Amino acid sequence: MRTIIAFTHATLDGFIDDPHEWWLPYLDDELRADELEMHLAADALLLGRVTFEGMAKAWPAMDGDPFVDHVNAMTHHVVASQPVDTSVWEPTVVIPGADLIDEVRRLEQADDGDILIWGTGRLTDAVVHVYRPTSPA
């Protein structure tokens, strides 16, 4: 069974929007090494449509770095309830929004590397909700 890891840059008060504008000063060699290790253990990236579209504008044009090359080679699973252009950042698989939970459970059962969820507060909330223990009736 695979591990699902929610990897989200957040401030202490829970702000996650536009991390590229505020977290870069905290990126040092130790954090880079930790992030590389975590990403190399994963072979799937789970993204919401908006996050995917934003990342797909920049990542495919980057290469030559072990971290970037690995992220670009991972399968990108994008959750979308409307059309998305998957040709801009391959390999990409679309998960219809209504199929999210069933598909995450199927992905989790595979004998592959970890699954990373990047950003996407709503997507993370939806996945975490499935694994939250239910309270007794």
Side-chain angles (χ1 to χ4, degrees):
M1 181 178 271
R2 301 162 91 174
T3 300
I4 299 172
I5 300 168
F7 181 67
T8 304
H9 295 291
T11 62
L12 290 175
D13 61 355
F15 185 77
I16 65 171
D17 290 340
D18 302 316
H20 61 283
E21 294 179 4
W22 56 264
W23 81 276
L24 287 175
Y26 305 101
L27 184 61
D28 61 14
D29 290 341
E30 183 179 358
L31 182 56
R32 282 181 206 268
D34 288 346
E35 287 187 7
L36 178 60
E37 182 180 343
M38 177 179 54
H39 282 75
L40 289 176
D43 67 352
L45 193 56
L46 184 60
L47 306 154
R49 181 190 53 82
V50 173
T51 300
F52 171 82
E53 288 174 343
M55 297 296 180
K57 289 178 184 176
W59 281 86
M62 297 187 281
D63 65 9
D65 173 88
F67 180 84
V68 171
D69 292 345
H70 183 72
V71 168
N72 281 330
M74 297 168 78
T75 300
H76 314 104
H77 299 270
V78 58
V79 180
S81 55
Q82 55 186 307
V84 60
D85 181 3
T86 60
S87 69
V88 296
W89 195 21
E90 294 181 346
T92 297
V93 175
V94 175
I95 299 172
D99 298 341
L100 171 63
I101 301 309
D102 290 338
E103 186 62 17
V104 167
R105 285 185 173 138
R106 187 191 68 72
L107 287 170
E108 184 183 34
Q109 296 303 314
D111 291 327
D112 294 321
D114 295 338
I115 302 167
L116 295 176
I117 302 175
W118 269 9
T120 3
R122 290 186 315 177
L123 174 58
T124 302
D125 287 348
V127 172
V128 167
H129 180 73
V130 172
Y131 297 96
R132 186 175 299 147
T134 56
S135 48

Short mmCIF file of all heavy atoms in Angstrom, two decimals, residues 81-129:
data_model
loop_
_atom_site.label_atom_id
_atom_site.label_comp_id
_atom_site.label_asym_id
_atom_site.label_seq_id
_atom_site.Cartn_x
_atom_site.Cartn_y
_atom_site.Cartn_z
N SER A 81 -13.24 18.73 -12.87
CA SER A 81 -14.64 18.55 -13.23
C SER A 81 -14.95 19.27 -14.54
O SER A 81 -16.10 19.34 -14.95
CB SER A 81 -15.55 19.06 -12.11
OG SER A 81 -15.24 20.40 -11.80
N GLN A 82 -13.93 19.83 -15.16
CA GLN A 82 -14.08 20.45 -16.47
C GLN A 82 -12.84 20.11 -17.30
O GLN A 82 -11.85 19.62 -16.75
CB GLN A 82 -14.29 21.95 -16.33
CG GLN A 82 -13.23 22.68 -15.54
CD GLN A 82 -13.60 24.14 -15.33
OE1 GLN A 82 -13.89 24.84 -16.27
NE2 GLN A 82 -13.59 24.57 -14.09
N PRO A 83 -12.88 20.32 -18.60
CA PRO A 83 -11.77 19.91 -19.46
C PRO A 83 -10.44 20.53 -19.04
O PRO A 83 -10.38 21.67 -18.57
CB PRO A 83 -12.18 20.42 -20.85
CG PRO A 83 -13.66 20.53 -20.78
CD PRO A 83 -13.98 20.93 -19.36
N VAL A 84 -9.38 19.75 -19.20
CA VAL A 84 -8.03 20.22 -18.90
C VAL A 84 -7.09 19.69 -19.99
O VAL A 84 -7.25 18.56 -20.45
CB VAL A 84 -7.59 19.77 -17.49
CG1 VAL A 84 -7.58 18.27 -17.36
CG2 VAL A 84 -6.25 20.35 -17.10
N ASP A 85 -6.16 20.52 -20.42
CA ASP A 85 -5.21 20.14 -21.46
C ASP A 85 -4.06 19.36 -20.82
O ASP A 85 -3.17 19.94 -20.20
CB ASP A 85 -4.67 21.38 -22.16
CG ASP A 85 -3.70 21.05 -23.28
OD1 ASP A 85 -3.47 19.85 -23.57
OD2 ASP A 85 -3.16 22.01 -23.88
N THR A 86 -4.08 18.05 -20.97
CA THR A 86 -3.05 17.21 -20.36
C THR A 86 -1.78 17.16 -21.18
O THR A 86 -0.74 16.72 -20.70
CB THR A 86 -3.58 15.77 -20.16
OG1 THR A 86 -3.93 15.23 -21.42
CG2 THR A 86 -4.77 15.76 -19.22
N SER A 87 -1.84 17.60 -22.43
CA SER A 87 -0.67 17.51 -23.31
C SER A 87 0.44 18.46 -22.90
O SER A 87 1.58 18.29 -23.32
CB SER A 87 -1.07 17.79 -24.75
OG SER A 87 -1.44 19.15 -24.91
N VAL A 88 0.14 19.45 -22.05
CA VAL A 88 1.15 20.44 -21.69
C VAL A 88 2.14 19.95 -20.64
O VAL A 88 3.21 20.52 -20.48
CB VAL A 88 0.49 21.76 -21.20
CG1 VAL A 88 -0.30 22.42 -22.32
CG2 VAL A 88 -0.39 21.52 -19.99
N TRP A 89 1.79 18.88 -19.91
CA TRP A 89 2.71 18.36 -18.88
C TRP A 89 2.45 16.87 -18.74
O TRP A 89 1.62 16.43 -17.96
CB TRP A 89 2.48 19.09 -17.57
CG TRP A 89 3.55 18.93 -16.53
CD1 TRP A 89 4.85 18.56 -16.73
CD2 TRP A 89 3.41 19.15 -15.13
NE1 TRP A 89 5.52 18.54 -15.54
CE2 TRP A 89 4.66 18.90 -14.53
CE3 TRP A 89 2.35 19.53 -14.31
CZ2 TRP A 89 4.87 19.03 -13.17
CZ3 TRP A 89 2.56 19.66 -12.96
CH2 TRP A 89 3.81 19.42 -12.39
N GLU A 90 3.14 16.10 -19.54
CA GLU A 90 2.93 14.65 -19.55
C GLU A 90 4.00 13.95 -18.73
O GLU A 90 5.10 14.50 -18.60
CB GLU A 90 2.93 14.15 -20.99
CG GLU A 90 1.75 14.70 -21.78
CD GLU A 90 1.71 14.19 -23.21
OE1 GLU A 90 2.72 13.64 -23.69
OE2 GLU A 90 0.68 14.35 -23.85
N PRO A 91 3.71 12.80 -18.18
CA PRO A 91 2.46 12.05 -18.28
C PRO A 91 1.41 12.56 -17.29
O PRO A 91 1.71 12.81 -16.13
CB PRO A 91 2.88 10.62 -17.92
CG PRO A 91 4.04 10.80 -16.99
CD PRO A 91 4.74 12.05 -17.44
N THR A 92 0.20 12.75 -17.78
CA THR A 92 -0.89 13.24 -16.95
C THR A 92 -2.14 12.40 -17.19
O THR A 92 -2.45 12.04 -18.32
CB THR A 92 -1.22 14.72 -17.27
OG1 THR A 92 -0.06 15.51 -16.95
CG2 THR A 92 -2.40 15.22 -16.47
N VAL A 93 -2.83 12.10 -16.11
CA VAL A 93 -4.08 11.36 -16.13
C VAL A 93 -5.13 12.24 -15.46
O VAL A 93 -4.88 12.81 -14.39
CB VAL A 93 -3.95 10.03 -15.34
CG1 VAL A 93 -5.28 9.32 -15.25
CG2 VAL A 93 -2.89 9.15 -15.96
N VAL A 94 -6.29 12.37 -16.07
CA VAL A 94 -7.37 13.16 -15.48
C VAL A 94 -8.26 12.25 -14.64
O VAL A 94 -8.64 11.16 -15.07
CB VAL A 94 -8.22 13.86 -16.57
CG1 VAL A 94 -9.42 14.57 -15.95
CG2 VAL A 94 -7.35 14.85 -17.35
N ILE A 95 -8.55 12.71 -13.44
CA ILE A 95 -9.49 12.03 -12.56
C ILE A 95 -10.73 12.92 -12.49
O ILE A 95 -10.65 14.04 -11.99
CB ILE A 95 -8.92 11.86 -11.14
CG1 ILE A 95 -7.66 11.01 -11.17
CG2 ILE A 95 -9.96 11.26 -10.21
CD1 ILE A 95 -6.92 10.95 -9.84
N PRO A 96 -11.86 12.46 -13.01
CA PRO A 96 -13.08 13.27 -12.88
C PRO A 96 -13.39 13.52 -11.40
O PRO A 96 -13.23 12.62 -10.57
CB PRO A 96 -14.16 12.40 -13.54
CG PRO A 96 -13.40 11.47 -14.44
CD PRO A 96 -12.09 11.22 -13.74
N GLY A 97 -13.78 14.74 -11.09
CA GLY A 97 -14.03 15.10 -9.70
C GLY A 97 -14.93 14.12 -8.96
O GLY A 97 -14.68 13.79 -7.80
N ALA A 98 -15.95 13.62 -9.62
CA ALA A 98 -16.89 12.69 -8.99
C ALA A 98 -16.23 11.35 -8.66
O ALA A 98 -16.71 10.61 -7.80
CB ALA A 98 -18.09 12.46 -9.89
N ASP A 99 -15.10 11.03 -9.30
CA ASP A 99 -14.41 9.75 -9.09
C ASP A 99 -13.23 9.86 -8.14
O ASP A 99 -12.49 8.89 -7.96
CB ASP A 99 -13.90 9.21 -10.43
CG ASP A 99 -15.02 8.91 -11.41
OD1 ASP A 99 -16.18 8.79 -10.97
OD2 ASP A 99 -14.73 8.82 -12.62
N LEU A 100 -13.02 11.02 -7.53
CA LEU A 100 -11.83 11.27 -6.72
C LEU A 100 -11.58 10.20 -5.67
O LEU A 100 -10.51 9.60 -5.63
CB LEU A 100 -11.91 12.65 -6.05
CG LEU A 100 -10.82 12.92 -5.01
CD1 LEU A 100 -9.44 12.92 -5.65
CD2 LEU A 100 -11.09 14.21 -4.27
N ILE A 101 -12.54 9.94 -4.82
CA ILE A 101 -12.32 9.04 -3.70
C ILE A 101 -12.04 7.62 -4.18
O ILE A 101 -11.08 6.98 -3.73
CB ILE A 101 -13.52 9.07 -2.73
CG1 ILE A 101 -13.73 10.51 -2.21
CG2 ILE A 101 -13.34 8.09 -1.59
CD1 ILE A 101 -12.48 11.17 -1.64
N ASP A 102 -12.82 7.12 -5.12
CA ASP A 102 -12.59 5.77 -5.64
C ASP A 102 -11.21 5.67 -6.30
O ASP A 102 -10.50 4.67 -6.13
CB ASP A 102 -13.67 5.37 -6.65
CG ASP A 102 -15.02 5.14 -5.99
OD1 ASP A 102 -15.06 4.88 -4.76
OD2 ASP A 102 -16.04 5.21 -6.71
N GLU A 103 -10.84 6.69 -7.04
CA GLU A 103 -9.55 6.66 -7.74
C GLU A 103 -8.38 6.76 -6.76
O GLU A 103 -7.38 6.07 -6.92
CB GLU A 103 -9.48 7.78 -8.77
CG GLU A 103 -8.25 7.74 -9.64
CD GLU A 103 -8.12 6.48 -10.50
OE1 GLU A 103 -9.10 5.75 -10.69
OE2 GLU A 103 -7.00 6.22 -10.97
N VAL A 104 -8.50 7.59 -5.74
CA VAL A 104 -7.42 7.69 -4.74
C VAL A 104 -7.27 6.36 -4.01
O VAL A 104 -6.15 5.89 -3.77
CB VAL A 104 -7.68 8.85 -3.75
CG1 VAL A 104 -6.76 8.76 -2.54
CG2 VAL A 104 -7.50 10.18 -4.46
N ARG A 105 -8.36 5.73 -3.68
CA ARG A 105 -8.28 4.41 -3.03
C ARG A 105 -7.62 3.39 -3.96
O ARG A 105 -6.83 2.56 -3.52
CB ARG A 105 -9.67 3.95 -2.61
CG ARG A 105 -10.17 4.69 -1.39
CD ARG A 105 -11.49 4.15 -0.91
NE ARG A 105 -11.86 4.78 0.35
CZ ARG A 105 -13.07 5.18 0.65
NH1 ARG A 105 -14.07 5.00 -0.19
NH2 ARG A 105 -13.32 5.75 1.81
N ARG A 106 -7.93 3.44 -5.25
CA ARG A 106 -7.31 2.52 -6.21
C ARG A 106 -5.82 2.80 -6.33
O ARG A 106 -4.99 1.88 -6.29
CB ARG A 106 -7.98 2.65 -7.58
CG ARG A 106 -7.50 1.60 -8.59
CD ARG A 106 -7.95 1.91 -10.00
NE ARG A 106 -7.33 3.09 -10.56
CZ ARG A 106 -6.05 3.17 -10.96
NH1 ARG A 106 -5.26 2.14 -10.85
NH2 ARG A 106 -5.58 4.29 -11.49
N LEU A 107 -5.44 4.06 -6.44
CA LEU A 107 -4.03 4.43 -6.54
C LEU A 107 -3.26 4.01 -5.29
O LEU A 107 -2.13 3.54 -5.37
CB LEU A 107 -3.89 5.95 -6.71
CG LEU A 107 -4.27 6.52 -8.07
CD1 LEU A 107 -4.30 8.04 -8.00
CD2 LEU A 107 -3.32 6.03 -9.14
N GLU A 108 -3.89 4.16 -4.16
CA GLU A 108 -3.25 3.84 -2.88
C GLU A 108 -2.93 2.34 -2.78
O GLU A 108 -1.95 1.96 -2.15
CB GLU A 108 -4.17 4.27 -1.74
CG GLU A 108 -3.59 4.07 -0.37
CD GLU A 108 -4.56 4.44 0.72
OE1 GLU A 108 -5.79 4.22 0.53
OE2 GLU A 108 -4.10 4.92 1.74
N GLN A 109 -3.73 1.50 -3.41
CA GLN A 109 -3.55 0.06 -3.32
C GLN A 109 -2.42 -0.47 -4.20
O GLN A 109 -1.96 -1.59 -4.00
CB GLN A 109 -4.86 -0.66 -3.68
CG GLN A 109 -6.00 -0.38 -2.73
CD GLN A 109 -5.65 -0.75 -1.29
OE1 GLN A 109 -5.12 -1.82 -1.03
NE2 GLN A 109 -5.95 0.14 -0.35
N ALA A 110 -1.94 0.32 -5.13
CA ALA A 110 -0.88 -0.13 -6.03
C ALA A 110 0.43 -0.29 -5.27
O ALA A 110 0.66 0.35 -4.25
CB ALA A 110 -0.71 0.87 -7.17
N ASP A 111 1.28 -1.17 -5.78
CA ASP A 111 2.59 -1.40 -5.17
C ASP A 111 3.63 -0.51 -5.84
O ASP A 111 4.57 -0.99 -6.47
CB ASP A 111 3.00 -2.87 -5.31
CG ASP A 111 2.14 -3.77 -4.46
OD1 ASP A 111 1.72 -3.34 -3.38
OD2 ASP A 111 1.91 -4.91 -4.89
N ASP A 112 3.44 0.78 -5.73
CA ASP A 112 4.35 1.73 -6.35
C ASP A 112 4.89 2.67 -5.27
O ASP A 112 4.73 2.43 -4.08
CB ASP A 112 3.60 2.53 -7.43
CG ASP A 112 3.17 1.64 -8.60
OD1 ASP A 112 3.94 0.75 -8.99
OD2 ASP A 112 2.06 1.86 -9.12
N GLY A 113 5.48 3.79 -5.71
CA GLY A 113 6.00 4.78 -4.78
C GLY A 113 4.88 5.58 -4.14
O GLY A 113 3.70 5.37 -4.41
N ASP A 114 5.28 6.49 -3.27
CA ASP A 114 4.31 7.33 -2.58
C ASP A 114 3.54 8.21 -3.55
O ASP A 114 3.92 8.39 -4.71
CB ASP A 114 5.03 8.23 -1.57
CG ASP A 114 5.69 7.44 -0.45
OD1 ASP A 114 5.27 6.30 -0.19
OD2 ASP A 114 6.62 7.99 0.18
N ILE A 115 2.44 8.77 -3.05
CA ILE A 115 1.62 9.71 -3.80
C ILE A 115 1.72 11.05 -3.08
O ILE A 115 1.46 11.13 -1.89
CB ILE A 115 0.13 9.28 -3.83
CG1 ILE A 115 0.00 7.88 -4.45
CG2 ILE A 115 -0.72 10.31 -4.56
CD1 ILE A 115 -1.37 7.25 -4.21
N LEU A 116 2.13 12.09 -3.80
CA LEU A 116 2.21 13.42 -3.21
C LEU A 116 1.04 14.27 -3.67
O LEU A 116 0.67 14.24 -4.84
CB LEU A 116 3.50 14.13 -3.64
CG LEU A 116 4.81 13.52 -3.19
CD1 LEU A 116 5.99 14.29 -3.78
CD2 LEU A 116 4.89 13.53 -1.67
N ILE A 117 0.46 15.00 -2.75
CA ILE A 117 -0.54 16.00 -3.09
C ILE A 117 0.16 17.35 -2.93
O ILE A 117 0.65 17.66 -1.85
CB ILE A 117 -1.77 15.95 -2.16
CG1 ILE A 117 -2.43 14.58 -2.19
CG2 ILE A 117 -2.76 17.06 -2.55
CD1 ILE A 117 -3.57 14.43 -1.19
N TRP A 118 0.20 18.10 -3.99
CA TRP A 118 0.82 19.43 -3.93
C TRP A 118 -0.26 20.47 -3.72
O TRP A 118 -1.25 20.53 -4.48
CB TRP A 118 1.51 19.74 -5.24
CG TRP A 118 2.95 19.34 -5.31
CD1 TRP A 118 3.66 18.61 -4.42
CD2 TRP A 118 3.85 19.68 -6.36
NE1 TRP A 118 4.94 18.46 -4.85
CE2 TRP A 118 5.09 19.11 -6.04
CE3 TRP A 118 3.72 20.40 -7.53
CZ2 TRP A 118 6.20 19.26 -6.86
CZ3 TRP A 118 4.82 20.54 -8.35
CH2 TRP A 118 6.05 19.97 -8.01
N GLY A 119 -0.04 21.33 -2.74
CA GLY A 119 -0.92 22.48 -2.53
C GLY A 119 -2.37 22.11 -2.40
O GLY A 119 -2.73 21.18 -1.68
N THR A 120 -3.19 22.78 -3.08
CA THR A 120 -4.60 22.47 -3.24
C THR A 120 -5.34 22.14 -1.96
O THR A 120 -5.65 20.98 -1.69
CB THR A 120 -4.80 21.31 -4.24
OG1 THR A 120 -3.56 20.81 -4.68
CG2 THR A 120 -5.55 21.76 -5.43
N GLY A 121 -5.65 23.13 -1.17
CA GLY A 121 -6.35 22.93 0.09
C GLY A 121 -7.64 22.14 -0.05
O GLY A 121 -7.92 21.24 0.74
N ARG A 122 -8.45 22.44 -1.06
CA ARG A 122 -9.73 21.73 -1.23
C ARG A 122 -9.52 20.26 -1.56
O ARG A 122 -10.23 19.40 -1.04
CB ARG A 122 -10.59 22.40 -2.31
CG ARG A 122 -11.12 23.76 -1.89
CD ARG A 122 -12.08 24.32 -2.88
NE ARG A 122 -11.58 24.17 -4.25
CZ ARG A 122 -12.23 24.53 -5.33
NH1 ARG A 122 -13.42 25.05 -5.24
NH2 ARG A 122 -11.72 24.36 -6.52
N LEU A 123 -8.55 19.97 -2.40
CA LEU A 123 -8.26 18.57 -2.75
C LEU A 123 -7.76 17.83 -1.51
O LEU A 123 -8.22 16.72 -1.22
CB LEU A 123 -7.23 18.50 -3.87
CG LEU A 123 -6.74 17.11 -4.24
CD1 LEU A 123 -7.89 16.19 -4.65
CD2 LEU A 123 -5.70 17.21 -5.35
N THR A 124 -6.84 18.42 -0.79
CA THR A 124 -6.33 17.79 0.43
C THR A 124 -7.47 17.55 1.41
O THR A 124 -7.57 16.46 2.00
CB THR A 124 -5.24 18.66 1.07
OG1 THR A 124 -4.18 18.85 0.12
CG2 THR A 124 -4.68 18.01 2.32
N ASP A 125 -8.33 18.53 1.59
CA ASP A 125 -9.48 18.37 2.50
C ASP A 125 -10.35 17.19 2.07
O ASP A 125 -10.79 16.40 2.90
CB ASP A 125 -10.32 19.64 2.55
CG ASP A 125 -9.67 20.76 3.33
OD1 ASP A 125 -8.66 20.51 4.03
OD2 ASP A 125 -10.15 21.90 3.23
N ALA A 126 -10.59 17.06 0.78
CA ALA A 126 -11.46 15.99 0.28
C ALA A 126 -10.83 14.62 0.54
O ALA A 126 -11.52 13.68 0.94
CB ALA A 126 -11.73 16.18 -1.21
N VAL A 127 -9.52 14.51 0.32
CA VAL A 127 -8.85 13.23 0.53
C VAL A 127 -8.75 12.92 2.02
O VAL A 127 -9.01 11.79 2.45
CB VAL A 127 -7.45 13.22 -0.14
CG1 VAL A 127 -6.67 11.98 0.25
CG2 VAL A 127 -7.60 13.32 -1.65
N VAL A 128 -8.39 13.90 2.82
CA VAL A 128 -8.26 13.69 4.26
C VAL A 128 -9.60 13.28 4.87
O VAL A 128 -9.65 12.45 5.78
CB VAL A 128 -7.70 14.95 4.96
CG1 VAL A 128 -7.85 14.87 6.46
CG2 VAL A 128 -6.24 15.14 4.58
N HIS A 129 -10.67 13.83 4.37
CA HIS A 129 -12.00 13.51 4.89
C HIS A 129 -12.27 12.01 4.83
O HIS A 129 -12.91 11.45 5.71
CB HIS A 129 -13.07 14.28 4.12
CG HIS A 129 -14.45 14.00 4.59
ND1 HIS A 129 -14.94 14.49 5.78
CD2 HIS A 129 -15.44 13.26 4.05
CE1 HIS A 129 -16.18 14.06 5.95
NE2 HIS A 129 -16.50 13.32 4.91
#
